[in-house]
């Protein structure tokens, strides 16, 4: 078993090694003495508030496990535009290149300066650019409903079954978000035309499919591949390639589902899903829909993984949600998604499995003890105590 969960540099099935969560071996001595260089890019809105709590937890981990994290904070998003005139300032990008991984908050403030062109706005100029720059092609979003938060799930208890636990594996560097041509043009006076292009190649589909099947092997051994093969050429190719890749994994059941049905089934019977494999745009939408099942975007971490070098995988770790301008700066944001993103980073990039488990356990303990930020609070739960961002972070750091 390899120390590092993913070897993405080699997309062939036999070259990808995948382990996860508690199954990972502990860190070799050579890695435990290493200083891990981290770029912490908090971004906009609630980004700085939740990043502060994540760093607090990282410091607690550092102490408990005698690790060393060299954390450098840098501006990105509107904070980057304010500081250096660019959503992804050159110095921030340079820092990322020199780092072992990126811990990211979120970027974008929809109401800010509409005169700034789309391609210079944070979502495109920072987020999409970073994904491309570091070839972060695989996005993993675990969606788990904690049993104490059943009330926050919009589905009835009956539909929640014995618990919802879905892993959305989303292709992140291809498809409609990057395909060319991409433009808006005038076709006649008063008539505009917008063009986005969906493009996928066989190798792009193969490598993300391998990730999904490897992930499923360590879970409940089922992949639901999402496409729109009844309408899109891309869907036909996607389905063919995923079916071919599935032959390498006879122990994993494969089913195909049209994306519209997938969206509906997530609401009707989410317990049927183990791993959902999606192209970029479908994964974007379905992962947020799945996120609602966990009660709040504030509970959901994500990992975007790139190349593996030796014992480390370069990764980009961020909460599933955005900048939440409606609650920013009020100590209301739930820091758990950002904190669990730290746990994913320790596990998937550095193989620091014990430290990652300690964070997961501390989050579980905080929830079990009744602590709730506003997004997951229910007045009907007599044991629940409403707390702010800072208090939740303090409790989790203390739990570590
Ligand atoms: P959002 O995710 O910011 O907010 C949606 C809802 O979820 C809001 O009600 C918000 O309060 C809530 N929410 C999100 N995170 C929360 C948390 N940690 N704790 C408690 N509640 C939380 O989505 P939006 O409002 O559509 O987007 C706002 C901005 O964020 C936009 O500019 C968008 O482009 C950007 N965005 C950025 C990223 C990213 O940086 N990765 C992702 C999504 C959206």
């Amino acid at each position: 078993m390899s120390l590092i969960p993913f070897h993405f540099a080699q997309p062939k099935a036999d070259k990808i090694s995948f382990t996860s969560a508690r199954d990972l071996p502990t860190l070799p001595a050579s890695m435990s003495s290493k200083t891990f260089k981290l770029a912490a890019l908090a971004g906009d809105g609630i980004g700085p508030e939740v990043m502060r709590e994540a760093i607090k937890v990282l410091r607690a981990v550092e102490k408990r496990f005698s690790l060393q994290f060299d954390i450098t904070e840098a501006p990105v998003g509107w904070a980057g535009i304010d500081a250096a005139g660019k959503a992804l300032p050159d110095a921030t990008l340079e820092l990322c290149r020199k780092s072992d991984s990126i811990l990211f908050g979120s970027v974008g403030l929809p109401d800010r300066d509409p005169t700034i062109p789309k391609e210079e706005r944070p979502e495109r100029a920072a987020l999409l650019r970073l994904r491309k720059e570091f070839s972060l092609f695989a996005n993993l979003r675990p969606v788990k409903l904690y049993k104490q938060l059943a009330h926050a799930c919009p589905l009835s208890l009956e539909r929640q079954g014995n618990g919802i636990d879905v892993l959305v594996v989303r292709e992140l560097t291809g498809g409609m978000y990057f395909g060319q041509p991409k433009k808006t043009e005038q076709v006649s006076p008063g008539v505009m035309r917008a063009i986005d292009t969906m493009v996928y190649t066989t190798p792009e589909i193969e490598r993300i499919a391998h990730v999904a099947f490897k992930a499923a092997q360590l879970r409940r051994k089922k992949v639901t591949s999402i496409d729109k093969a009844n309408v899109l050429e891309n869907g036909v190719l996607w389905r063919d390639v995923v079916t071919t890749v599935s032959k390498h994994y006879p122990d994993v059941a494969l089913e195909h589902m049209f994306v519209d049905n997938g969206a509906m089934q997530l609401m009707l019977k989410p317990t049927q899903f183990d791993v959902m494999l999606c192209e970029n745009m479908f994964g974007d939408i379905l992962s947020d829909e799945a996120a609602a099942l966990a009660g709040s975007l504030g509970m959901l971490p994500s990992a975007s993984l790139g190349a593996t070098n030796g014992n480390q995988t370069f990764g980009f770790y961020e909460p599933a949600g955005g900048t939440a301008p409606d609650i920013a700066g009020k100590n209301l944001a739930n820091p758990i998604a950002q904190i669990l993103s730290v746990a994913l980073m320790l596990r998937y990039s550095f193989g620091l499995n014990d430290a990652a488990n300690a964070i997961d356990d501390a989050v579980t303990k905080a929830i079990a003890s009744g602590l709730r930020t506003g997004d997951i609070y229910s007045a009907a739960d007599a044991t629940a105590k409403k707390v702010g961002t800072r208090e939740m972070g303090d409790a989790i750091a203390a739990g570590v």
Side-chain angles (χ1 to χ4, degrees):
M1 188 187 285
S2 164
L3 169 72
I4 294 296
F6 300 92
H7 287 278
F8 286 149
Q10 300 281 352
K12 288 208 179 87
D14 55 349
K15 295 280 174 57
I16 297 176
S17 140
F18 182 108
T19 56
S20 90
R22 286 163 196 273
D23 298 337
L24 282 171
T26 48
L27 194 75
S30 60
M31 289 281 279
S32 60
S33 58
K34 181 183 156 65
T35 297
F36 297 96
K37 262 189 85 57
L38 307 180
L41 316 183
D44 308 314
I46 60 168
E49 295 167 72
V50 293
M51 183 65 80
R52 184 191 59 219
E53 302 313 313
I55 291 176
K56 193 185 280 175
V57 171
L58 253 177
R59 292 300 181 207
V61 165
E62 198 171 37
K63 225 171 170 177
R64 164 149 179 223
F65 292 91
S66 302
L67 294 164
Q68 283 171 314
F69 298 107
D70 175 3
I71 306 170
T72 308
E73 299 188 52
V76 71
W78 287 102
I81 293 174
D82 291 340
K86 277 165 104 171
L88 182 61
D90 297 343
T92 299
L93 181 57
E94 201 40 42
L95 168 72
C96 293
R97 288 196 181 117
K98 289 186 183 147
S99 298
D100 295 317
S101 269
I102 303 170
L103 186 58
F104 194 84
S106 42
V107 293
L109 296 170
D111 295 337
R112 268 203 63 176
D113 196 353
T115 64
I116 299 220
K118 291 187 290 287
E119 47 296 344
E120 290 171 29
R121 298 181 79 81
E123 291 86 338
R124 289 196 198 188
L127 199 53
L128 298 189
R129 169 94 198 276
L130 281 167
R131 284 180 188 161
K132 203 77 183 164
E133 175 80 23
F134 294 100
S135 301
L136 304 169
F137 75 90
N139 182 233
L140 281 75
R141 287 206 196 175
V143 173
K144 196 172 170 167
L145 178 64
Y146 287 72
K147 72 175 186 323
Q148 296 91 342
L149 301 184
H151 68 271
C153 177
L155 300 187
S156 64
L157 283 176
E158 190 191 2
R159 288 195 200 281
Q160 293 175 24
N162 288 329
I164 298 170
D165 185 3
V166 181
L167 176 68
V168 181
V169 174
R170 168 188 170 193
E171 201 291 328
L172 208 55
T173 52
M176 187 107 81
Y177 292 179
F178 294 101
Q180 293 295 331
K182 180 186 261 307
K183 60 182 172 181
T184 305
E185 60 193 13
Q186 183 157 7
V187 287
S188 61
V191 179
M192 304 296 286
R193 172 168 58 195
I195 300 173
D196 295 282
T197 307
M198 191 184 235
V199 189
Y200 270 107
T201 61
T202 305
E204 284 175 305
I205 303 170
E206 281 172 350
R207 64 179 182 175
I208 192 71
H210 282 299
V211 171
F213 282 105
K214 295 278 182 192
Q217 281 184 318
L218 292 156
R219 295 171 49 96
R220 302 192 304 280
K221 297 188 171 53
K222 181 178 173 189
V223 168
T224 304
S225 177
I226 301 294
D227 63 44
K228 191 71 183 162
N230 50 347
V231 179
L232 299 176
E233 289 298 311
N234 268 272
V236 176
L237 183 65
W238 184 274
R239 192 170 280 220
D240 283 352
V241 175
V242 172
T243 303
T244 304
V245 171
S246 74
K247 311 280 190 246
H248 295 276
Y249 305 92
D251 54 331
V252 178
L254 168 66
E255 69 175 2
H256 300 281
M257 195 176 277
F258 295 137
V259 61
D260 40 355
N261 188 29
M264 191 171 72
Q265 292 300 326
L266 261 177
M267 292 300 105
L268 295 178
K269 200 177 174 213
T271 52
Q272 72 186 281
F273 295 112
D274 178 16
V275 175
M276 294 183 91
L277 166 62
C278 309
E279 66 84 43
N280 200 346
M281 184 174 66
F282 296 162
D284 190 4
I285 297 166
L286 291 192
S287 58
D288 268 17
E289 187 189 355
L293 302 176
S296 168
L297 279 173
M299 293 299 296
L300 295 163
S302 81
S304 302
L305 302 167
T308 296
N309 257 328
N311 277 337
Q312 288 186 204
T313 296
F314 189 90
F316 177 94
Y317 298 87
E318 60 174 333
T323 59
D326 51 332
I327 56 167
K330 298 176 183 161
N331 197 38
L332 292 175
N334 186 344
I336 289 179
Q338 188 81 59
I339 291 168
L340 288 177
S341 299
V342 170
L344 293 182
M345 177 181 74
L346 299 182
R347 178 172 291 131
Y348 289 129
S349 279
F350 308 137
L352 295 168
N353 206 37
D354 292 345
N357 290 342
I359 295 178
D360 288 345
D361 291 347
V363 168
T364 304
K365 225 177 349 173
I367 290 173
S369 74
L371 299 185
R372 306 279 186 269
T373 43
D375 56 313
I376 51 173
Y377 177 76
S378 162
D381 179 354
T383 62
K385 180 179 172 220
K386 204 184 226 178
V387 295
T389 312
R390 204 181 282 277
E391 294 71 30
M392 183 64 96
D394 285 344
I396 295 167
V400 165

